């Protein structure tokens, strides 16, 4: 024997500015959605994931670059919390740059970081390549 249940019907008026719909966070970040999710501009995102030694897997779909959102946020938090690892990464990059320069017969020239271009110190070559005699023949 079932008991009848009473039902009531009502109309509720809610102003549109009183509603807020939220979507779940995307699983993957790309240059198209990274700014809305993290606040990081697309250019900074692309420079970060293309930097030598970037530890996360980057999926390439045409020009679109995708990384896992949770892993990328954890990576950023790690950078913010550990300045020593950032210094180590910068030192590693300087070492790689010095190796590339040495492979072509050049050496890095230390100069003060002023934010502006400067002339090399006296005695420095300024990073120019050694000159070779041209082997062109005129006809």
């Amino acid at each position: 024997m079932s008991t009848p249940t009473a039902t009531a019907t009502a109309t509720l008026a809610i102003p549109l500015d009183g509603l807020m719909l939220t979507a779940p966070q995307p699983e993957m970040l790309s240059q198209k959605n990274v700014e809305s999710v993290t606040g990081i501009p697309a250019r900074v995102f692309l420079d970060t994931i293309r930097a030598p030694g970037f530890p996360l897997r980057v999926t390439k779909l045409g020009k679109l670059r995708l990384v896992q959102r949770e892993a990328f946020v954890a990576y950023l938090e790690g950078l913010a919390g550990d300045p020593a690892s950032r210094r180590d990464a910068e030192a590693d990059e300087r070492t790689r740059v010095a190796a590339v320069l040495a492979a072509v017969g050049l050496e890095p020239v230390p100069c003060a970081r002023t934010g502006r271009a400067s002339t090399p110190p006296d005695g420095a070559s300024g990073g120019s390549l050694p000159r070779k005699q041209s082997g062109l023949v005129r006809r």
Side-chain angles (χ1 to χ4, degrees):
M1 185 174 186
S2 69
T3 35
T5 57
T7 60
T9 305
T11 302
L12 182 60
I14 300 175
L16 289 177
D17 61 351
L19 292 177
M20 177 185 275
L21 301 175
T22 57
Q25 294 287 332
E27 293 292 319
M28 302 292 281
L29 290 178
S30 73
Q31 63 265 38
K32 294 187 179 269
N33 68 0
V34 71
E35 190 161 8
S36 65
V37 174
T38 64
I40 295 173
R43 174 58 33 210
V44 173
F45 170 75
L46 289 172
D47 290 345
T48 301
I49 66 173
R50 290 177 179 154
F54 182 69
L56 305 178
R57 193 176 109 214
V58 178
T59 303
K60 299 175 183 178
L61 294 173
K63 292 185 178 184
L64 199 63
R65 301 295 181 257
L66 300 164
V67 295
Q68 292 281 338
R69 177 184 49 85
E70 288 181 9
F72 187 72
V73 170
Y75 169 75
L76 293 176
E77 288 173 349
L79 287 179
D82 189 8
S85 69
R86 194 170 352 157
R87 280 192 302 271
D88 292 344
E90 289 171 359
D92 288 346
E93 184 172 354
R94 282 192 301 275
T95 301
R96 285 189 296 270
V97 168
V100 169
L101 290 173
V104 294
L106 300 173
E107 62 183 41
V109 177
C111 60
R113 293 185 174 247
T114 61
R116 294 187 287 168
S118 61
T119 58
D122 291 335
S125 66
S128 61
L129 294 171
R131 294 185 183 263
K132 293 184 179 180
Q133 294 294 330
S134 174
L136 298 177
V137 177
R138 287 191 176 175
R139 291 189 176 199

